[in-house]
Amino acid sequence: MAQYLKDEVQEAILAAALEVFARKGFRSASMAEIASAARVSTGNIYRYFENKSALYEAAVPGTFVTTFRRLLRQRVEAARGVKDLRKLEPGAPYRLLSEEVLAFSLGNRLRVVVLLSSPEGTPHEHFAEELVQFLLESATTHFHARPAPPTRFALEELYRNYVTTLGRLLRHFEQERDIREAVEALSRYHLTGLTALFEP
């Protein structure tokens, strides 16, 4: 019974930490705010976690980040050789992997928000920017393009906004239906824009 209560308190602290990290960012979040959200004393948190960094590592473990990064890369790789992603059948590998990434993000909504929106001060503070660069390079490779510096700059900013918007919509919406609708709208706009930019 005592172990069950201990596990329950720890889970409440982790859930509260994710909520506060997603809302305020890791740097701005305080242990007192997390304790308040978890409805425990600040001192009680330190019975389970040595400091805020240890709490972050438990809330956003490296295994989660590795899995998310792998799924994102697999999704991009599935687009290779596909001329128009918008015309793919529902059972195409790219469609299936897109659904897997979305389902994973829905199941780990706040963790993804932290990674994409507010990881400053954590071991993953460069995750979003690395994703932007990966998507940029993947797009230019996909379209066999060597954009001039001004176009490349604009494309990089578009991808930066794309990643930021994904994080913001996951933070803004909680219902799966709303998230799916917003992601679909963003993706449709994004793919149309890429096609118009690279194809004559």
Side-chain angles (χ1 to χ4, degrees):
M1 183 65 175
Q3 183 61 44
Y4 172 78
L5 289 174
K6 182 178 180 182
D7 292 344
E8 198 173 61
V9 171
Q10 188 168 347
E11 286 303 311
I13 293 170
L14 287 171
L18 275 175
E19 190 277 323
V20 175
F21 291 155
R23 178 165 44 85
K24 298 198 67 174
F26 174 79
R27 277 197 177 139
S28 297
S30 70
M31 294 294 258
E33 287 174 294
I34 294 168
S36 177
R39 297 182 179 177
V40 300
S41 68
T42 303
N44 208 13
I45 292 185
Y46 288 103
R47 293 179 58 194
Y48 298 91
F49 303 99
E50 182 180 357
N51 50 42
K52 191 168 68 167
S53 293
L55 179 52
Y56 172 86
E57 289 170 15
V60 188
T63 51
F64 158 76
V65 179
T66 298
T67 300
F68 189 42
R69 187 178 280 120
R70 174 178 55 79
L71 288 172
L72 291 169
R73 288 186 176 276
Q74 287 175 340
R75 177 179 179 265
V76 168
E77 287 166 7
R80 286 182 183 169
V82 179
K83 184 171 178 60
D84 193 340
L85 296 171
R86 298 168 297 176
K87 296 179 180 178
L88 287 172
E89 296 295 322
Y94 177 82
R95 296 278 191 204
L96 296 176
L97 282 161
S98 293
E99 172 57 30
E100 191 172 353
V101 170
L102 181 53
F104 184 80
S105 298
L106 287 165
N108 296 276
R109 186 175 67 85
L110 293 181
R111 287 188 178 98
V112 174
V113 169
V114 172
L115 277 182
L116 298 185
S117 304
S118 50
E120 293 81 7
T122 77
H124 310 122
E125 64 181 340
H126 302 299
F127 183 92
E129 185 57 30
E130 287 170 359
L131 178 58
V132 167
Q133 297 304 320
F134 172 66
L135 292 173
L136 173 63
E137 295 305 322
S138 298
T140 55
T141 300
H142 180 83
F143 288 98
H144 309 289
R146 289 187 178 179
T151 301
R152 185 181 177 88
F153 176 85
L155 186 59
E156 185 173 358
E157 289 303 306
L158 288 170
Y159 268 115
R160 197 166 282 122
N161 288 332
Y162 176 77
V163 169
T164 299
T165 302
L166 282 174
R168 291 185 65 180
L169 74 84
L170 284 167
R171 182 170 54 207
H172 184 77
F173 296 109
E174 294 184 13
Q175 298 301 314
E176 178 176 341
R177 183 180 65 180
D178 294 332
I179 293 171
R180 284 182 175 277
E181 186 176 333
V183 168
E184 172 60 26
L186 179 64
S187 297
R188 190 166 57 246
Y189 173 83
H190 175 69
L191 289 174
T192 301
L194 277 181
T195 303
L197 180 65
F198 285 119
E199 293 189 354

